[in-house]
Amino acid sequence: MLSMEQGTGPMEMLTTLGRQVGLTQAEVDRATERLTGAFSSLMATDKPSASFDVNRLVSGLGKNLLDNPMLVAWGLKVAARTGDEVFSKFIGNFLKRSVVERKSVVDNMADELGYHPPSTILINPTMRCNLRCKGCYAYSFDQKADMDRDVIERILLQAKDLGIHFITMTGGEPFLYPEIEDIFQSHPDITFMVYTNAQRIDAARAQRLAKLGNVWPTISVEGYETETDERRGKGVYAKLIETMGHLKDAGVLFGISAVPTRHNTDMLASDEFLDHYIDQGALFGWMFTYMPVGKDPDIDLMATPAQREQLRRQSLHWRQSKPFFMSDFWNDGPLCGGCMSASRIAFITTDGWVQPCVFVQFATHNVHEHSLRDIFDSEFFHAIRGRQPYHPNFLRPCKIIDHPHVLREVVEKCGARPTYPGADSIIKDQHIRDHLDNYSQEYAEIAEKTWNSEDYEGGHSVQVPFYGRSDLYKIYEPYMRRAHAQVGTPMPSCSGKVENRPKKTESRIKIQ
């Protein structure tokens, strides 16, 4: 348990916080010196339109120091334990371009485009993989496919033209792509988060990634050795632990990715699990609940609604108790205003089809014939954005498992094609349809109770990383207005009363 005495100054609080989460005094000194320089650089931004966001960021971090100190502790660890180029790119690429300057860039682009551009693009450079993991959706695609280098370069240039400086690489195994490090080096102004099985990263590659500074390996884990090797193959766990050691020694910012299922949620939602990987040097993590997509999806692997709620509670507990940045892709819907598919993210398959997200495996456009601007302006993407958010309860953000009728309707309306044979089973297989309908109804009952609990102050506020606790009806006012219009319920007024009826939905959502 952290303890801070009242009246303590900010630097004393940072020092105390750093020591209490295991940093040495030398590491605390290194971290505070780096962070002081970084914030001085951010405050000196030459973009006046971003100055408000810098001040909001600084104010939010001050609030977090008191209300959510573990986020600040995480920042201290990043500043203390990453290499020089890694930390420089973390500040310059991620914090500056993707956080501080993002709102002004997006608003300016929206005036030009008529819609807000996405925050990140996910790219599959290759579907080749050195493993054959049980239940992996990636094996639904052509295992020999590589995306041409010139296509990747064109995508990245178009992404930057849309103000995107955060790219996610997945696969397959991205580190099997022959020119992957050349791509990272050619775009030093982009942060690349790379999902990997960690089998192709040795000590030499870890040092090269540290020198590049703009690559965040995100290592897939199933739990401990037994669980990982059972799904991924014997010896995989030992190698990924070895790789984590190389990345930690090199000062690379890396994290973990896990897939909660009916069988492993109890283990994943434990302090012991997270502490184990924190000890290996991981600084962030992603939870992606198992989705019934891919060839022959197994609906019995889905975590139950009760397990999903269990993981939500644990994620909040971790944020209050661990110096670690954990994101639960479904339970964190309140942090980003609900579903991000076709609005904040898109996924490009190796053969160029652009899906609204990784799990909505349908498309109408291909990058070989269309630009990213054309695709985000397409009927399919417009139809999805026009329905978002699907409900005022942002704990139910997903059109696949929370509002499955929405996925069926937009796919049919726009004539979207499955991106591989069998992908349409999620909307055509009656057994899967019935299961998702029942699942969504059962989870809705849990989510409604949770949404009206103290955690979200009756569905009105959420603790937003970097900015502190925020009023959802202020930061996402147009989103909330649209959501209430979707379900025909009135908007609460600022006084706590409700308006007689929802006002007309705004044509564009202002990102906060």
Side-chain angles (χ1 to χ4, degrees):
M1 179 66 68
L2 292 172
S3 60
M4 300 282 186
E5 294 185 5
Q6 291 186 346
T8 304
M11 294 306 296
E12 291 82 1
M13 293 176 71
L14 286 174
T15 298
T16 301
L17 181 61
R19 296 306 302 272
Q20 289 182 338
V21 298
L23 297 181
T24 66
Q25 186 59 51
E27 287 178 321
V28 171
D29 293 342
R30 172 182 168 88
T32 53
E33 180 180 359
R34 277 180 155 186
L35 289 172
T36 299
F39 277 98
S40 296
S41 174
L42 291 174
M43 292 297 289
T45 178
D46 57 358
K47 294 186 178 182
S49 58
S51 61
F52 169 78
D53 299 283
V54 174
N55 291 330
R56 182 179 174 219
L57 175 65
V58 173
S59 173
L61 287 176
K63 289 166 60 180
N64 279 311
L65 189 56
L66 296 174
D67 302 334
N68 186 24
M70 283 298 99
L71 179 66
V72 181
W74 171 77
L76 287 171
K77 288 186 70 175
V78 171
R81 294 180 175 174
T82 56
D84 290 341
E85 194 63 27
V86 174
F87 184 73
S88 175
K89 294 290 176 60
F90 173 78
I91 297 297
N93 281 0
F94 176 69
L95 201 58
K96 185 169 185 268
R97 289 192 173 96
S98 297
V99 178
V100 170
E101 297 177 352
R102 178 65 186 167
K103 183 180 183 299
S104 59
V105 170
V106 165
D107 286 346
N108 290 335
M109 293 298 299
D111 290 337
E112 174 187 349
L113 300 171
Y115 60 87
H116 281 105
S119 302
T120 185
I121 299 290
L122 293 88
I123 303 173
N124 259 13
T126 181
M127 288 312 302
R128 288 183 290 155
C129 189
N130 49 315
L131 302 180
R132 182 67 184 266
C133 303
K134 298 176 183 177
C136 178
Y137 76 87
Y139 261 81
S140 301
F141 297 87
D142 181 0
Q143 290 301 288
K144 299 179 181 179
D146 278 357
M147 186 180 287
D148 289 343
R149 170 74 183 272
D150 64 335
V151 176
I152 295 176
E153 292 292 342
R154 188 166 69 248
I155 292 170
L156 295 178
L157 291 175
Q158 291 179 10
K160 285 193 278 189
D161 184 55
L162 289 171
I164 302 167
H165 289 272
F166 191 91
I167 295 293
T168 303
M169 293 282 195
T170 181
E173 170 50 53
F175 284 106
L176 286 175
Y177 192 82
E179 300 173 273
I180 193 69
E181 290 183 32
D182 293 336
I183 293 171
F184 301 150
Q185 186 173 16
S186 297
H187 298 275
D189 55 342
I190 290 178
T191 296
F192 292 92
M193 184 168 67
V194 184
Y195 287 98
T196 176
N197 58 42
Q199 307 301 291
R200 306 287 293 190
I201 302 176
D202 57 14
R205 172 164 267 173
Q207 291 295 332
R208 293 197 299 273
L209 296 180
K211 186 176 180 180
L212 288 169
N214 62 335
V215 185
W216 300 357
T218 307
I219 299 173
S220 299
V221 300
E222 307 299 330
Y224 304 106
E225 183 172 16
T226 299
E227 297 81 14
T228 299
D229 285 3
E230 192 278 330
R231 184 178 182 225
R232 297 180 173 269
K234 186 173 177 59
V236 170
Y237 174 83
K239 174 57 181 174
L240 70 83
I241 292 295
E242 178 184 302
T243 294
M244 289 181 180
H246 295 322
L247 294 170
K248 180 180 179 181
D249 291 344
V252 175
L253 179 60
F254 75 92
I256 59 171
S257 173
V259 179
T261 70
R262 183 185 299 264
H263 306 303
N264 68 2
T265 294
D266 289 348
M267 175 189 59
L268 296 182
S270 68
D271 286 347
E272 292 77 14
F273 165 78
L274 188 56
D275 288 343
H276 175 69
Y277 288 104
I278 290 176
D279 290 343
Q280 308 306 317
L283 286 164
F284 65 89
W286 289 91
M287 292 286 185
F288 294 97
T289 191
Y290 174 80
M291 300 289 280
V293 297
K295 290 181 178 178
D296 303 318
D298 185 355
I299 56 177
D300 291 332
L301 280 179
M302 288 183 67
T304 66
Q307 288 176 318
R308 182 172 167 184
E309 166 62 10
Q310 175 189 3
L311 194 59
R312 183 203 66 81
R313 292 194 305 268
Q314 188 67 10
S315 293
L316 292 184
H317 162 69
W318 284 334
R319 289 196 181 118
Q320 296 166 0
S321 62
K322 306 289 182 186
F324 189 86
F325 195 98
M326 175 62 81
S327 181
D328 183 331
F329 202 69
W330 277 260
N331 286 326
D332 281 340
L335 302 185
C336 53
C339 176
M340 299 190 296
S341 170
S343 52
R344 268 69 62 80
I345 62 173
F347 173 82
I348 305 176
T349 68
T350 307
D351 52 0
W353 289 103
V354 184
Q355 301 175 180
C357 71
V358 173
F359 303 102
V360 177
Q361 295 171 348
F362 296 86
T364 58
H365 287 62
N366 193 295
V367 293
H368 294 291
E369 292 90 33
H370 303 276
S371 69
L372 289 181
R373 289 187 178 219
D374 293 338
I375 293 166
F376 273 88
D377 202 28
S378 67
E379 179 190 11
F380 188 34
F381 277 45
H382 268 292
I384 293 172
R385 291 198 299 269
R387 300 286 293 267
Q388 293 172 342
Y390 315 118
H391 195 278
N393 185 336
F394 288 170
L395 289 173
R396 301 168 57 199
C398 183
K399 62 182 163 293
I400 302 175
I401 61 175
D402 296 319
H403 308 279
H405 65 285
V406 174
L407 175 63
R408 298 164 196 159
E409 290 168 5
V410 294
V411 167
E412 180 179 359
K413 175 185 176 183
C414 301
R417 52 151 283 176
T419 52
Y420 61 87
D424 54 356
S425 63
I426 197 166
I427 62 174
K428 290 187 174 180
D429 186 306
Q430 193 60 49
H431 184 51
I432 297 176
R433 287 170 61 104
D434 291 344
H435 178 82
L436 292 178
D437 288 341
N438 292 333
Y439 172 97
S440 64
Q441 293 173 18
E442 184 179 346
Y443 179 68
E445 295 180 6
I446 296 173
E448 285 305 304
K449 294 179 181 178
T450 302
W451 191 237
N452 289 293
S453 70
E454 292 183 1
D455 287 344
Y456 305 97
E457 297 184 357
H460 280 263
S461 76
V462 66
Q463 188 81 27
V464 180
F466 303 112
Y467 295 127
R469 182 160 288 279
S470 301
D471 184 336
L472 289 169
Y473 281 86
K474 290 183 178 179
I475 65 171
Y476 293 125
E477 188 270 341
Y479 274 64
M480 299 304 294
R481 190 174 296 283
R482 178 178 289 178
H484 281 282
Q486 294 276 18
V487 298
T489 57
M491 276 276 289
S493 67
C494 295
S495 63
K497 300 178 181 179
V498 297
E499 301 173 358
N500 291 330
R501 60 183 179 181
K503 295 181 180 178
K504 184 178 179 180
T505 304
E506 294 184 19
S507 60
R508 284 209 315 266
I509 302 296
K510 301 291 282 185
I511 298 295
Q512 299 294 326

